[in-house]
Amino acid sequence: MRTYTFLSHLPLLSKRFPLKILFVAFVGIHIPLFAIIGYLLISRFPIDAAKTIGLLTLVFTLLATGITLFLLNKLLKPVMIAKNALNDYIAFSKTPDLPLTFEDEAGVLMADVQQAINELEKYEEERQNVLHVLSHDLQSPVRTAMGALALLEDETDPEQRKELEGMLKETLDKQLKQLRYYLQLLKEQKLNSELDAEKVSIPVPILIGEVAKDLHMQMKAKGIDLTIGGFEGSLALPKHSLQRVLKNVLDNAIKYSNVGGNIEISAIKEEHTLKIAVKDYGVGFNESCAKAIFAYNSPLQRLGTSNEPSTGIGMYLCKNMMRRIGGEISATSEGKGKGATFTIIYTTRS
């Protein structure tokens, strides 16, 4: 670092690393020229011969210097590319595409810069996903509580009120535990990994039933009947992730169902694939919009049939969560006003 520090104090070289390299190369190349000129000055060479030798030495030294400095400048290109890539990423969040096949120090530098930026991009994506999850999920208990309170206001039967109060307390307790769970995972910086929790063996009806119980009050507030059927066996499943996806899908179905409507959940086991279909008979959508539903801030977001709010990211989160556990989710509809079917697909054996 001493040489680098010394050269950095020279005004012409302080801000340009390539100039430091070229300066050192220039001085090093001209040392033999100075030695030859000095020798000719103190030797007994005839003046004409000394001039000729000196002139030829000068010409060839300058030529060699030009070629050497040109090639050195080209060889410094990887360092400058790495530096510019970092500057572009810092200033404009532009992800570079640096070569990764070289094995010398400059090649390793470019590869390390590329890897570091890729890791930063991955971290930023995970950070955004965590914020999306929290932004979406923290609104769910509020909507549930508001629905329960609306039911309590209209309910006059003491027994029914007591039942509703118990359900409200149970729901809020569960949501509070979930919030604490997320905050702990955030503290430990492993929220995304926990979403891909290890599989547990669980009967499929129980997996679905637990989700339905969480949303019972929202269905009751709109007078919606829920039917659950299909495969009843047990499977080793990533319970936490599938239930979060299913909860979002069922919440979506409730939101866009008409008051007094019906929702059907059916589980189908085919070979090593489990399909859970959630079908409603609500507002529906044009089939051409099926993919747009899963976009971030979907252009199809709208208020529910009872003016329930929409964040526009619920289905986007579902798609990402299914991708992380090796599954997928799709949506179909016969058109506006004809309901919709959301199908969660998970391969039980990789």
Side-chain angles (χ1 to χ4, degrees), residues 44-320:
R44 297 181 179 181
F45 268 85
I47 295 178
D48 291 340
K51 287 181 178 179
T52 301
I53 293 173
L55 182 61
L56 288 174
T57 303
L58 176 62
V59 169
F60 283 110
T61 300
L62 291 176
L63 179 62
T65 300
I67 295 173
T68 301
L69 295 182
F70 175 78
L71 293 177
L72 279 175
N73 189 54
K74 292 295 183 183
L75 284 174
L76 285 169
K77 195 71 173 178
V79 178
M80 300 307 297
I81 289 175
K83 171 249 186 187
N84 291 334
L86 281 173
N87 287 344
D88 287 345
Y89 183 74
I90 293 171
F92 310 110
S93 297
K94 181 180 178 182
T95 304
D97 185 19
L98 300 176
L100 307 176
T101 57
F102 301 100
E103 298 180 358
D104 60 9
E105 289 81 358
V108 171
L109 173 63
M110 290 191 291
D112 287 347
V113 168
Q114 183 69 52
Q115 182 180 358
I117 291 176
N118 289 344
E119 288 297 322
L120 285 173
E121 283 289 287
K122 182 180 177 182
Y123 175 80
E124 177 61 19
E125 181 183 357
E126 291 182 352
R127 187 183 72 86
Q128 289 294 331
N129 283 335
V130 168
L131 291 177
H132 294 331
V133 168
L134 293 177
S135 173
H136 181 269
D137 285 7
L138 289 179
Q139 297 180 54
S140 178
V142 177
R143 292 200 302 269
T144 302
M146 293 299 292
L149 288 173
L151 289 174
L152 281 170
E153 288 177 357
D154 297 334
E155 186 59 65
T156 57
D157 184 278
E159 290 298 323
Q160 288 294 324
R161 286 183 64 85
K162 185 175 181 180
E163 181 183 350
L164 287 172
E165 288 171 356
M167 291 176 62
L168 177 59
K169 183 179 183 300
E170 181 182 350
T171 299
L172 291 178
D173 283 343
K174 183 177 292 187
Q175 294 294 345
L176 181 59
K177 289 178 182 178
Q178 187 176 41
L179 177 58
R180 288 172 176 165
Y181 171 72
Y182 284 150
L183 290 175
Q184 182 62 31
L185 294 178
L186 278 175
K187 182 179 178 181
E188 297 173 3
Q189 296 184 340
K190 59 178 184 179
L191 179 58
N192 274 358
S193 63
E194 287 299 317
L195 290 177
D196 304 331
E198 50 177 82
K199 300 174 185 177
V200 296
S201 181
I202 183 173
V204 173
I206 290 180
L207 180 135
I208 298 173
E210 289 178 355
V211 172
K213 184 178 180 182
D214 288 343
L215 299 175
H216 174 73
M217 282 191 287
Q218 288 170 242
M219 288 185 282
K220 186 171 182 178
K222 294 185 75 169
I224 293 174
D225 289 327
L226 176 65
T227 303
I228 301 174
F231 180 72
E232 297 183 353
S234 297
L235 294 172
L237 301 168
K239 176 185 175 183
H240 181 78
S241 296
L242 284 179
Q243 284 191 327
R244 292 196 70 253
V245 172
L246 181 58
K247 186 174 181 178
N248 276 330
V249 171
L250 182 55
D251 180 67
N252 207 56
I254 297 169
K255 186 186 305 179
Y256 296 116
S257 288
N258 298 311
V259 174
N262 298 300
I263 295 176
E264 300 168 0
I265 301 180
S266 59
I268 302 172
K269 177 73 166 56
E270 297 176 347
E271 292 291 328
H272 303 292
T273 300
L274 174 66
K275 296 182 180 180
I276 301 177
V278 180
K279 180 178 178 60
D280 67 70
Y281 297 87
V283 297
F285 56 86
N286 292 327
E287 190 63 23
S288 59
C289 301
K291 290 185 178 180
I293 288 175
F294 299 100
Y296 175 66
N297 274 338
S298 171
L300 300 179
Q301 64 174 303
R302 54 193 165 182
L303 295 176
T305 54
S306 296
N307 293 320
E308 299 98 327
S310 172
T311 63
I313 61 173
M315 292 301 103
Y316 166 80
L317 294 175
C318 288
K319 180 181 178 182
N320 280 354

